[in-house]
Amino acid sequence: MDILQKDLQNSIDGAENLCKNLNISDDAKIIIIEMIFQLGKTGVSKFRNMWKALQQDPPSYSVAATEMLDSRWAKQTPNRAKEMSDHMKDCV
């Protein structure tokens, strides 16, 4: 349980760092946390086009969702990536 809590806290801290200059919804942050839990902060930081979409004012969640699927991650874990992309698309 301690390892899980440490990994989750690392994911939360990583998301806070990557999202610190963004004005995105809490739901979008939760998706980023889940991605970091699976891929690590460095891996998620490489989704450059997703980050560009999230930097827009207002954030373009639909573009971010599409960019999430344009990745090796989506090819390796298609069901998980699709589910998370769908959630990102629904963010407000």
Side-chain angles (χ1 to χ4, degrees):
M1 195 56 129
D2 289 339
I3 293 171
L4 175 62
Q5 288 177 335
K6 183 180 177 189
D7 287 347
L8 180 57
Q9 189 60 53
N10 285 340
S11 298
I12 292 168
D13 293 345
E16 288 296 323
N17 182 265
L18 290 174
C19 297
K20 67 183 169 205
N21 295 321
L22 300 179
N23 187 23
I24 60 174
S25 71
D26 289 340
D27 290 337
K29 285 180 186 174
I30 290 170
I31 294 163
I32 300 298
I33 290 167
E34 288 185 45
M35 290 177 72
I36 292 172
F37 191 84
Q38 184 180 5
L39 301 169
K41 179 183 167 191
T42 302
V44 176
S45 72
K46 294 178 182 177
F47 283 71
R48 288 183 178 86
N49 291 329
M50 178 190 77
W51 291 111
K52 285 179 188 176
L54 294 175
Q55 289 170 350
Q56 295 178 10
D57 186 23
S60 181
Y61 297 115
S62 61
V63 172
T66 300
E67 294 301 334
M68 289 168 66
L69 296 177
D70 185 21
S71 65
R72 191 172 70 202
W73 167 66
K75 289 175 182 66
Q76 293 173 343
T77 56
N79 294 336
R80 181 178 177 98
K82 174 77 166 92
E83 180 181 342
M84 292 174 70
S85 172
D86 288 346
H87 288 302
M88 181 67 81
K89 198 178 301 180
D90 292 339
C91 288
V92 180

